[in-house]
């Protein structure tokens, strides 16, 4: 089972402290969200897992952390100033703006049962292009429309990787094929944000740019796509909820030769064909970016394509004595959407012996914000409380552990199930006699007695299984 809709996750998130509306005390912003105490742990676990898998476990990837604000020329030569647009339409009746290609994602504000444009009373304007990059100005003296001071918040992290290609290549002494991985914030002035954290104004991307010889690119594309689908399953996204979508040639981004969107079933409540939307995209960016940021290439009339760059980002192959611009395969995945997919997939309902419905978030242990909760059976008994707190302190350095005595044991178990804590450790009167505690499994609700001395090893083994 997974969540029946995103709304279920919205209310669980708010109730338990995964995600809150940003600036909620002022009515929110609709498209900006804050991660609460549990959400930040889950997001960190996703990022850690991705980084470990790519940068530590593989031997062909380096890490990077580049700036959000770059020289404006980066966005000129990347093509974003010219082409990073979405088609925008206005409704003359309700005065709202929509993204033409995403009308089915929003409801008409005046006619609730329709999408914009579907009701005979809607009156949409012709589409016009709207650049998604957030603008800002640099320097204290600049006026807001001074072109010399204009800068952008990056709409993708990738460009910082391309501009650093030469730096990383030279300092790490790499030879292609190799990749550069980066996690960081990106910003897009989305026309129709919404669907909770699915589409937000700012979001973190986990991007990999993998550099290879042009004739290796198709094979690299296939193997990275396969590796990513395996990683997604490892963090708890089931295969049945994933679908690969080959982007049609006429819809490809300006830099892409081939793009496959990995779609997740974010909308299970919708009709079969509209249940899916993009979780990640993998693109063959060819040599587009390295070439367009380089000072050397010339057009057919012998004029430099990029008169502003001071570097040539080509690669010299010592084996063949050839110099060329590597091809780039880019898998790009958002932290928000991954977190939403992980939560939706983990969501389960189970009925207890009293016939009450309980929510269990069956997160992979690696993803769980809290690994172990230590619960005293009697909080008015100082020896029990003391032992429980000691166990918490001892487990904490190796696994995220909390102590909780704010309710009856049934309620405490239910709370931990709902936030995905794999194990609860209960300290009771008998623990004072036999130095053993009860370990309860989130998924089976089975309980086992374990000696306090053996507890850490026992839990580590089960968490790492
Ligand atoms: P969409 O078609 O949904 O607007 P996109 O194709 O523009 O997405 P990419 O440019 O391929 O997205 O970005 C790579 C990844 O970054 C996406 O797969 C998604 O996970 C994430 N992402 C992109 N835009 C947003 C956003 N506004 N909010 C949250 N995540 C986003």
């Amino acid at each position: 089972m997974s969540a029946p809709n995103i709304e279920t996750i919205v209310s669980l998130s708010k109730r338990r402290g995964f995600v809150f509306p940003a600036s909620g005390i002022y009515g929110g912003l609709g498209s900006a969200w804050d991660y609460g105490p549990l959400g930040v742990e889950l997001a960190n676990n996703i990022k850690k897992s991705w980084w470990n898998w790519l940068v530590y476990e593989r031997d062909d990837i380096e890490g990077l952390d580049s700036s959000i604000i770059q020289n404006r020329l980066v966005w000129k030569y990347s093509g974003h100033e010219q082409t990073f647009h979405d088609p925008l339409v206005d409704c003359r009746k309700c005065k709202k703006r929509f993204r033409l290609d995403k009308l089915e994602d929003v409801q008409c504000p005046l006619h609730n049962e329709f999408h914009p444009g579907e009701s005979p009373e809607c009156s949409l304007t012709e589409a016009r292009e709207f650049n998604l990059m957030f603008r800002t100005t640099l320097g204290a003296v600049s006026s807001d429309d001074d072109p010399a001071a204009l800068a952008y918040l990056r709409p993708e992290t990738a460009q910082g990787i391309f501009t650093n290609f030469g730096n990383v290549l030279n300092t790490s002494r790499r030879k292609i094929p190799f990749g550069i991985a980066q996690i960081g914030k990106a910003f897009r002035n989305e026309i129709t944000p919404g669907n909770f954290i699915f589409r937000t104004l700012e979001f973190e991307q986990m991007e990999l740019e993998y550099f290879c010889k042009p004739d290796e690119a198709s094979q690299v594309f296939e193997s990275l796509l396969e590796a990513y689908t395996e990683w997604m399953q490892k963090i708890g996204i089931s295969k049945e909820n994933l679908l690969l979508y080959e982007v049609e040639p006429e819809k490809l981004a300006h830099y892409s030769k081939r793009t496959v969107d990995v779609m997740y079933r974010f909308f299970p409540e919708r009709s079969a064909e509209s249940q899916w939307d993009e979780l990640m995209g993998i693109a063959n960016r060819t040599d587009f970016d390295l070439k367009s940021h380089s000072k050397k290439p010339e057009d057919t009339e012998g004029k430099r394509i990029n008169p502003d760059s001071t570097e040539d980002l080509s690669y010299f192959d010592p084996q063949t004595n050839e110099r060329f611009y590597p091809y780039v395969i880019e898998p790009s995945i958002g932290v928000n959407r991954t977190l939403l997919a992980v939560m939706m997939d983990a969501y389960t309902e189970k009925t207890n012996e009293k016939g009450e419905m309980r929510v269990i978030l069956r997160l992979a242990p690696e993803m769980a914000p809290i690994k172990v909760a230590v619960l005293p059976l009697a909080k008015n008994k100082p020896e029990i409380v003391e032992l429980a707190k000691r166990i918490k302190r001892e487990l904490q350095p190796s696994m995220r552990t909390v102590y909780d005595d704010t309710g009856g044991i049934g309620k405490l178990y239910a709370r931990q199930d709902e936030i995905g804590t794999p194990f609860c450790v209960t300290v009771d009167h008998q623990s004072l006699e036999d130095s053993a505690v009860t370990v309860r499994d989130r998924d089976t609700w089975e309980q086992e007695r374990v000696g306090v001395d053996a507890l850490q090893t026992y839990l580590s083994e089960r968490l790492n299984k």
Side-chain angles (χ1 to χ4, degrees), residues 88-360:
L88 166 94
V89 291
D90 291 288
C91 177
R92 296 183 187 92
K93 289 279 165 54
C94 72
K95 310 285 180 212
K96 291 266 185 297
R97 298 194 151 158
F98 308 101
R99 187 170 147 186
L100 183 66
D101 58 337
K102 295 281 174 190
L103 290 179
E104 75 277 11
D105 286 356
V106 266
Q107 280 194 334
C108 170
L110 291 180
H111 314 97
N112 262 340
E113 69 274 34
F114 294 114
H115 301 301
E118 281 179 354
S119 157
E121 289 153 52
C122 287
S123 172
L124 300 184
T125 60
E126 288 285 303
R128 60 183 198 280
E129 297 294 356
F130 173 76
N131 194 295
L132 297 180
M133 285 196 289
F134 275 106
R135 295 158 150 246
T136 188
T137 45
L138 302 183
V141 290
S142 58
S143 74
D144 278 356
D145 52 4
D146 179 357
L150 176 62
Y152 302 102
L153 303 188
R154 66 180 175 197
E156 61 173 27
T157 67
Q159 294 304 323
I161 299 183
F162 299 131
T163 54
N164 276 297
F165 172 69
N167 293 335
V168 177
L169 182 71
N170 294 334
T171 52
S172 66
R173 296 153 186 275
R174 288 280 180 183
K175 291 195 173 43
I176 61 167
F178 81 99
I180 304 178
Q182 172 165 238
I183 301 176
K185 281 256 165 119
F187 302 79
R188 294 184 190 178
N189 201 358
E190 298 276 4
I191 301 162
T192 28
N195 286 321
F196 190 40
I197 53 174
F198 178 80
R199 188 179 302 287
T200 49
L201 299 172
E202 58 174 275
F203 51 95
E204 267 182 309
Q205 288 185 315
M206 302 183 282
E207 294 201 297
L208 169 66
E209 307 301 323
Y210 197 88
F211 303 92
C212 62
K213 289 184 181 165
D215 63 3
E216 290 168 352
S218 326
Q219 193 270 322
V220 169
F221 190 110
E222 293 303 334
S223 70
L224 280 175
L225 179 55
E226 197 183 318
Y228 263 75
T229 31
E230 273 168 29
W231 174 72
M232 287 181 193
Q233 287 168 69
K234 184 172 160 265
I235 63 170
I237 298 175
S238 48
K239 219 172 174 181
E240 309 84 78
N241 288 330
L242 290 175
L243 184 84
L244 299 186
Y245 170 75
E246 184 84 40
V247 176
E248 297 90 337
E250 62 278 12
K251 289 198 186 150
L252 290 173
H254 61 279
Y255 50 74
S256 175
K257 186 173 165 189
R258 181 187 176 202
T259 298
V260 170
D261 287 343
V262 180
M263 316 277 273
Y264 182 77
R265 199 195 299 270
F266 284 110
F267 306 98
E269 76 283 11
R270 293 187 186 166
S271 62
E273 71 283 3
S274 4
Q275 293 181 350
W276 311 86
D277 213 331
E278 179 178 332
L279 166 61
M280 99 168 215
I282 175 167
N284 178 349
R285 290 183 82 127
T286 68
D287 55 5
F288 175 86
D289 301 272
L290 291 182
K291 234 181 185 164
S292 60
H293 285 306
S294 287
K295 65 176 184 179
K296 284 245 176 90
E298 295 174 341
D299 62 16
T300 44
E301 283 150 25
K303 257 185 34 203
R304 274 168 65 185
I305 292 171
N306 185 335
D308 295 308
S309 170
T310 58
E311 295 277 333
D312 180 40
L313 300 173
S314 61
Y315 174 82
F316 179 73
D317 187 336
Q319 268 166 352
T320 59
N321 278 341
E322 275 178 312
R323 184 168 280 285
F324 61 94
Y325 293 96
Y327 265 39
V328 178
I329 303 300
E330 173 195 74
S332 173
I333 182 162
V335 174
N336 282 355
R337 291 188 194 180
T338 308
L339 184 139
L340 183 55
V342 164
M343 284 188 78
M344 288 186 79
D345 232 296
Y347 182 92
T348 324
E349 291 172 358
K350 183 169 166 176
T351 309
N352 68 10
E353 67 284 357
K354 291 188 202 144
E356 298 158 337
M357 196 276 281
R358 291 277 181 254
V359 171
I360 306 181

